[in-house]
Amino acid sequence: MTCLEVPPRPGLCPSRCQPRGPRLPPLRLGLSTATSSSCRVCTLVSRQLPICNAQSYADDLQVAAPQSPTTVRSRLLAAEREEAKAVLSLFLRQKGLRSTLAARIVNKSDGFIEHLVSKLQISYRSRYAEGRELSTPEIRDALLPYLEALSREHGDSLVEVVENFPDPFSMEREALSSMALTPTSSNKQKAIARISTPTSGGALPELVLYLLDLGMDHEEIKNIVRKFPAFAYYNVDRKIKPLVELLLELGVPRSSIPGIIKKRPQLCGISMSDNLKPMMVYLENIGVNKARWSKVICRFPALLTYSRHKVETTVSFLTELGVSKENIGKILTRCPHLMSYSVNDNLRPTAEYFRSIGADAASLIQKSPQAFGLNVEVKLKPITEFFMLRGFSMEEIGIMVNRFGIIHTLSLEENLLPKYEFFLTMEYPRGELVKFPQYFGYSLEQRIKPRYAQMTGCGVRLILNQMLSVSDARFEEILQKRVGV
């Protein structure tokens, strides 16, 4: 791939934009603006990855005017800074930040950018010694895994680490900056020590005291920190209290808040104004019931920690599947866990499989979204094969799935097999299961066997639906009418 060709602009030499003439080294946005007789029209603008495989400066210098090692080194560093900025900006956007917000974070994070450049120097020490420029893919391959590691360690509080590097949280600078640079098991030990060591006045740290008052015990707090060390460094007034107050405003019982924090401590590190509240507004706009935020968050607090990109990707897939906007909101209100499923690894393959056996994937995901978190090979195919081996056609299996969407979520050994074997003793035609696959959803010992015994004891024969789906009172009434007849 060649570098981007840019049309000539007023005031610049048009001759360099002609196809002939010596080629100068490609420069990147942000390099020195020192005057030069060379045309800068063909400058490589590195703002979106990947752009091109940049050639080495050693090759370029063979056809360019002689330059001092200091000049070359300066240009190399400037180029890598801009590439590092581009990688960081792309990474933040992939995590769901708006482009303008990502740009603002990158532009005021010079310390972190210098840190990323130092990571490049360490990773490609021999290349730097040769005075050779790194290509965009090489820079990306070195930095993205590192950024992913920081993201896993700090969750959405990564933005604070980036913006304030190497002083992420003013009073916790030494410990947390160390965590940002070296996310190792020693960080857990330091974090646990931080919440376990009394202050100079003999009291426990403010964070611990606040959480104890909230209803946690000290061991629970330690478990949170073991899982997410950055939690030990959260400021109570800036991080924990605002979240607790928001949850209370949404109707979350105070007694449920410790459980929410234990499930997803990263929730405390999310910016209210830049991430959490905009995400809530977005979800409400696609139909999540704002009156039920309390239940949604208690059920799955991780929902509000996902990036905008991930949420939009899932919503886009549901729309593609044929689910209406209104029903998407209903699905996420009732089963927010759906957002944790990967579109490419779970949702799409599962939808394609259900379609292949004759099931309506769009209808199914609305009725039984939990079925879409299952592995096709490990869970779905064995259950389909279970019924095929017992004489059911693929069309019949598709009908059963459409009528009872969770049938593939049931255990073969503990549910389907024993209930099917008992079904055979009842001497019903196989078509009864096709008509009423909900049979597999009732308890064998507490519902199916007792009612079957009561029915046969009265000398009555009911279809499966009548025998199982009605209330106890209605079942008694039906039996009495049949016996009377």
Side-chain angles (χ1 to χ4, degrees), residues 70-90:
T70 302
T71 301
V72 173
R73 180 62 177 160
S74 176
R75 289 193 174 186
L76 282 171
L77 288 175
E80 308 318 341
R81 287 191 191 96
E82 293 307 315
E83 291 281 15
K85 287 181 179 180
V87 172
L88 179 58
S89 177
L90 176 65

PDB file of all heavy atoms in Angstrom, residues 70-90:
ATOM      1  N   THR A  70      21.033  13.258  14.528  1.00  0.00           N
ATOM      2  CA  THR A  70      20.140  13.900  15.504  1.00  0.00           C
ATOM      3  C   THR A  70      18.808  14.255  14.869  1.00  0.00           C
ATOM      4  O   THR A  70      17.744  14.047  15.458  1.00  0.00           O
ATOM      5  CB  THR A  70      20.803  15.176  16.065  1.00  0.00           C
ATOM      6  OG1 THR A  70      22.044  14.820  16.671  1.00  0.00           O
ATOM      7  CG2 THR A  70      19.889  15.833  17.090  1.00  0.00           C
ATOM      8  N   THR A  71      18.872  14.762  13.623  1.00  0.00           N
ATOM      9  CA  THR A  71      17.637  15.126  12.932  1.00  0.00           C
ATOM     10  C   THR A  71      16.780  13.900  12.661  1.00  0.00           C
ATOM     11  O   THR A  71      15.566  13.898  12.855  1.00  0.00           O
ATOM     12  CB  THR A  71      17.955  15.831  11.607  1.00  0.00           C
ATOM     13  OG1 THR A  71      18.731  16.998  11.870  1.00  0.00           O
ATOM     14  CG2 THR A  71      16.671  16.217  10.879  1.00  0.00           C
ATOM     15  N   VAL A  72      17.448  12.832  12.188  1.00  0.00           N
ATOM     16  CA  VAL A  72      16.725  11.599  11.909  1.00  0.00           C
ATOM     17  C   VAL A  72      16.072  11.067  13.181  1.00  0.00           C
ATOM     18  O   VAL A  72      14.906  10.672  13.195  1.00  0.00           O
ATOM     19  CB  VAL A  72      17.662  10.539  11.298  1.00  0.00           C
ATOM     20  CG1 VAL A  72      16.952   9.198  11.169  1.00  0.00           C
ATOM     21  CG2 VAL A  72      18.165  11.002   9.943  1.00  0.00           C
ATOM     22  N   ARG A  73      16.844  11.061  14.277  1.00  0.00           N
ATOM     23  CA  ARG A  73      16.329  10.548  15.548  1.00  0.00           C
ATOM     24  C   ARG A  73      15.135  11.369  16.021  1.00  0.00           C
ATOM     25  O   ARG A  73      14.128  10.825  16.494  1.00  0.00           O
ATOM     26  CB  ARG A  73      17.447  10.600  16.599  1.00  0.00           C
ATOM     27  CG  ARG A  73      17.044  10.093  17.976  1.00  0.00           C
ATOM     28  CD  ARG A  73      16.641   8.650  17.895  1.00  0.00           C
ATOM     29  NE  ARG A  73      16.313   8.133  19.204  1.00  0.00           N
ATOM     30  CZ  ARG A  73      15.595   7.058  19.399  1.00  0.00           C
ATOM     31  NH1 ARG A  73      15.108   6.404  18.356  1.00  0.00           N
ATOM     32  NH2 ARG A  73      15.341   6.625  20.619  1.00  0.00           N
ATOM     33  N   SER A  74      15.225  12.666  15.858  1.00  0.00           N
ATOM     34  CA  SER A  74      14.138  13.541  16.276  1.00  0.00           C
ATOM     35  C   SER A  74      12.870  13.242  15.484  1.00  0.00           C
ATOM     36  O   SER A  74      11.759  13.202  16.036  1.00  0.00           O
ATOM     37  CB  SER A  74      14.549  15.002  16.092  1.00  0.00           C
ATOM     38  OG  SER A  74      13.480  15.865  16.395  1.00  0.00           O
ATOM     39  N   ARG A  75      13.048  13.028  14.179  1.00  0.00           N
ATOM     40  CA  ARG A  75      11.888  12.740  13.347  1.00  0.00           C
ATOM     41  C   ARG A  75      11.293  11.372  13.688  1.00  0.00           C
ATOM     42  O   ARG A  75      10.079  11.177  13.671  1.00  0.00           O
ATOM     43  CB  ARG A  75      12.273  12.803  11.875  1.00  0.00           C
ATOM     44  CG  ARG A  75      12.554  14.212  11.396  1.00  0.00           C
ATOM     45  CD  ARG A  75      12.624  14.272   9.894  1.00  0.00           C
ATOM     46  NE  ARG A  75      12.752  15.650   9.421  1.00  0.00           N
ATOM     47  CZ  ARG A  75      12.726  15.995   8.153  1.00  0.00           C
ATOM     48  NH1 ARG A  75      12.599  15.061   7.224  1.00  0.00           N
ATOM     49  NH2 ARG A  75      12.843  17.260   7.800  1.00  0.00           N
ATOM     50  N   LEU A  76      12.160  10.416  13.956  1.00  0.00           N
ATOM     51  CA  LEU A  76      11.681   9.098  14.358  1.00  0.00           C
ATOM     52  C   LEU A  76      10.809   9.189  15.602  1.00  0.00           C
ATOM     53  O   LEU A  76       9.713   8.630  15.667  1.00  0.00           O
ATOM     54  CB  LEU A  76      12.854   8.148  14.607  1.00  0.00           C
ATOM     55  CG  LEU A  76      13.528   7.538  13.375  1.00  0.00           C
ATOM     56  CD1 LEU A  76      14.789   6.809  13.787  1.00  0.00           C
ATOM     57  CD2 LEU A  76      12.566   6.587  12.678  1.00  0.00           C
ATOM     58  N   LEU A  77      11.289   9.893  16.611  1.00  0.00           N
ATOM     59  CA  LEU A  77      10.541  10.024  17.867  1.00  0.00           C
ATOM     60  C   LEU A  77       9.223  10.733  17.647  1.00  0.00           C
ATOM     61  O   LEU A  77       8.185  10.338  18.195  1.00  0.00           O
ATOM     62  CB  LEU A  77      11.386  10.764  18.909  1.00  0.00           C
ATOM     63  CG  LEU A  77      12.557   9.980  19.494  1.00  0.00           C
ATOM     64  CD1 LEU A  77      13.380  10.878  20.413  1.00  0.00           C
ATOM     65  CD2 LEU A  77      12.051   8.766  20.270  1.00  0.00           C
ATOM     66  N   ALA A  78       9.263  11.792  16.844  1.00  0.00           N
ATOM     67  CA  ALA A  78       8.034  12.531  16.579  1.00  0.00           C
ATOM     68  C   ALA A  78       7.015  11.642  15.864  1.00  0.00           C
ATOM     69  O   ALA A  78       5.814  11.672  16.150  1.00  0.00           O
ATOM     70  CB  ALA A  78       8.334  13.768  15.745  1.00  0.00           C
ATOM     71  N   ALA A  79       7.507  10.839  14.928  1.00  0.00           N
ATOM     72  CA  ALA A  79       6.618   9.939  14.190  1.00  0.00           C
ATOM     73  C   ALA A  79       6.003   8.903  15.120  1.00  0.00           C
ATOM     74  O   ALA A  79       4.811   8.620  15.049  1.00  0.00           O
ATOM     75  CB  ALA A  79       7.394   9.252  13.066  1.00  0.00           C
ATOM     76  N   GLU A  80       6.836   8.345  16.007  1.00  0.00           N
ATOM     77  CA  GLU A  80       6.316   7.315  16.902  1.00  0.00           C
ATOM     78  C   GLU A  80       5.317   7.902  17.905  1.00  0.00           C
ATOM     79  O   GLU A  80       4.363   7.238  18.296  1.00  0.00           O
ATOM     80  CB  GLU A  80       7.462   6.612  17.649  1.00  0.00           C
ATOM     81  CG  GLU A  80       8.589   6.061  16.800  1.00  0.00           C
ATOM     82  CD  GLU A  80       8.150   5.363  15.520  1.00  0.00           C
ATOM     83  OE1 GLU A  80       6.986   4.959  15.400  1.00  0.00           O
ATOM     84  OE2 GLU A  80       8.982   5.243  14.621  1.00  0.00           O
ATOM     85  N   ARG A  81       5.540   9.145  18.318  1.00  0.00           N
ATOM     86  CA  ARG A  81       4.557   9.784  19.218  1.00  0.00           C
ATOM     87  C   ARG A  81       3.199   9.870  18.537  1.00  0.00           C
ATOM     88  O   ARG A  81       2.162   9.605  19.143  1.00  0.00           O
ATOM     89  CB  ARG A  81       5.039  11.182  19.618  1.00  0.00           C
ATOM     90  CG  ARG A  81       6.188  11.210  20.602  1.00  0.00           C
ATOM     91  CD  ARG A  81       6.413  12.609  21.139  1.00  0.00           C
ATOM     92  NE  ARG A  81       7.662  12.699  21.874  1.00  0.00           N
ATOM     93  CZ  ARG A  81       8.808  13.129  21.365  1.00  0.00           C
ATOM     94  NH1 ARG A  81       8.845  13.536  20.086  1.00  0.00           N
ATOM     95  NH2 ARG A  81       9.899  13.167  22.098  1.00  0.00           N
ATOM     96  N   GLU A  82       3.209  10.285  17.273  1.00  0.00           N
ATOM     97  CA  GLU A  82       1.941  10.424  16.554  1.00  0.00           C
ATOM     98  C   GLU A  82       1.281   9.063  16.318  1.00  0.00           C
ATOM     99  O   GLU A  82       0.063   8.927  16.391  1.00  0.00           O
ATOM    100  CB  GLU A  82       2.163  11.150  15.219  1.00  0.00           C
ATOM    101  CG  GLU A  82       2.576  12.597  15.381  1.00  0.00           C
ATOM    102  CD  GLU A  82       1.624  13.380  16.265  1.00  0.00           C
ATOM    103  OE1 GLU A  82       0.397  13.239  16.078  1.00  0.00           O
ATOM    104  OE2 GLU A  82       2.092  14.114  17.148  1.00  0.00           O
ATOM    105  N   GLU A  83       2.098   8.067  16.044  1.00  0.00           N
ATOM    106  CA  GLU A  83       1.552   6.722  15.876  1.00  0.00           C
ATOM    107  C   GLU A  83       0.964   6.224  17.200  1.00  0.00           C
ATOM    108  O   GLU A  83      -0.100   5.602  17.232  1.00  0.00           O
ATOM    109  CB  GLU A  83       2.635   5.757  15.383  1.00  0.00           C
ATOM    110  CG  GLU A  83       3.086   6.011  13.962  1.00  0.00           C
ATOM    111  CD  GLU A  83       2.100   5.450  12.945  1.00  0.00           C
ATOM    112  OE1 GLU A  83       0.958   5.123  13.320  1.00  0.00           O
ATOM    113  OE2 GLU A  83       2.477   5.341  11.767  1.00  0.00           O
ATOM    114  N   ALA A  84       1.669   6.485  18.299  1.00  0.00           N
ATOM    115  CA  ALA A  84       1.172   6.074  19.617  1.00  0.00           C
ATOM    116  C   ALA A  84      -0.153   6.759  19.925  1.00  0.00           C
ATOM    117  O   ALA A  84      -1.074   6.149  20.474  1.00  0.00           O
ATOM    118  CB  ALA A  84       2.209   6.385  20.692  1.00  0.00           C
ATOM    119  N   LYS A  85      -0.251   8.040  19.573  1.00  0.00           N
ATOM    120  CA  LYS A  85      -1.506   8.762  19.774  1.00  0.00           C
ATOM    121  C   LYS A  85      -2.627   8.121  18.951  1.00  0.00           C
ATOM    122  O   LYS A  85      -3.756   7.979  19.425  1.00  0.00           O
ATOM    123  CB  LYS A  85      -1.346  10.228  19.364  1.00  0.00           C
ATOM    124  CG  LYS A  85      -0.514  11.074  20.319  1.00  0.00           C
ATOM    125  CD  LYS A  85      -0.457  12.519  19.824  1.00  0.00           C
ATOM    126  CE  LYS A  85       0.347  13.398  20.772  1.00  0.00           C
ATOM    127  NZ  LYS A  85       0.392  14.803  20.296  1.00  0.00           N
ATOM    128  N   ALA A  86      -2.301   7.755  17.715  1.00  0.00           N
ATOM    129  CA  ALA A  86      -3.311   7.157  16.845  1.00  0.00           C
ATOM    130  C   ALA A  86      -3.789   5.815  17.393  1.00  0.00           C
ATOM    131  O   ALA A  86      -4.975   5.511  17.380  1.00  0.00           O
ATOM    132  CB  ALA A  86      -2.748   6.978  15.431  1.00  0.00           C
ATOM    133  N   VAL A  87      -2.854   5.019  17.889  1.00  0.00           N
ATOM    134  CA  VAL A  87      -3.221   3.724  18.472  1.00  0.00           C
ATOM    135  C   VAL A  87      -4.097   3.923  19.702  1.00  0.00           C
ATOM    136  O   VAL A  87      -5.120   3.252  19.881  1.00  0.00           O
ATOM    137  CB  VAL A  87      -1.964   2.913  18.834  1.00  0.00           C
ATOM    138  CG1 VAL A  87      -2.345   1.656  19.617  1.00  0.00           C
ATOM    139  CG2 VAL A  87      -1.200   2.522  17.578  1.00  0.00           C
ATOM    140  N   LEU A  88      -3.692   4.828  20.571  1.00  0.00           N
ATOM    141  CA  LEU A  88      -4.469   5.085  21.792  1.00  0.00           C
ATOM    142  C   LEU A  88      -5.864   5.601  21.449  1.00  0.00           C
ATOM    143  O   LEU A  88      -6.861   5.179  22.046  1.00  0.00           O
ATOM    144  CB  LEU A  88      -3.739   6.089  22.684  1.00  0.00           C
ATOM    145  CG  LEU A  88      -4.456   6.473  23.989  1.00  0.00           C
ATOM    146  CD1 LEU A  88      -4.735   5.244  24.843  1.00  0.00           C
ATOM    147  CD2 LEU A  88      -3.632   7.499  24.763  1.00  0.00           C
ATOM    148  N   SER A  89      -5.955   6.516  20.486  1.00  0.00           N
ATOM    149  CA  SER A  89      -7.248   7.051  20.079  1.00  0.00           C
ATOM    150  C   SER A  89      -8.145   5.948  19.535  1.00  0.00           C
ATOM    151  O   SER A  89      -9.328   5.853  19.886  1.00  0.00           O
ATOM    152  CB  SER A  89      -7.056   8.144  19.030  1.00  0.00           C
ATOM    153  OG  SER A  89      -8.309   8.621  18.573  1.00  0.00           O
ATOM    154  N   LEU A  90      -7.580   5.103  18.688  1.00  0.00           N
ATOM    155  CA  LEU A  90      -8.345   3.994  18.129  1.00  0.00           C
ATOM    156  C   LEU A  90      -8.814   3.051  19.230  1.00  0.00           C
ATOM    157  O   LEU A  90      -9.967   2.610  19.255  1.00  0.00           O
ATOM    158  CB  LEU A  90      -7.495   3.236  17.116  1.00  0.00           C
ATOM    159  CG  LEU A  90      -8.126   1.977  16.501  1.00  0.00           C
ATOM    160  CD1 LEU A  90      -9.349   2.349  15.671  1.00  0.00           C
ATOM    161  CD2 LEU A  90      -7.108   1.224  15.669  1.00  0.00           C
TER     162      LEU A  90
END
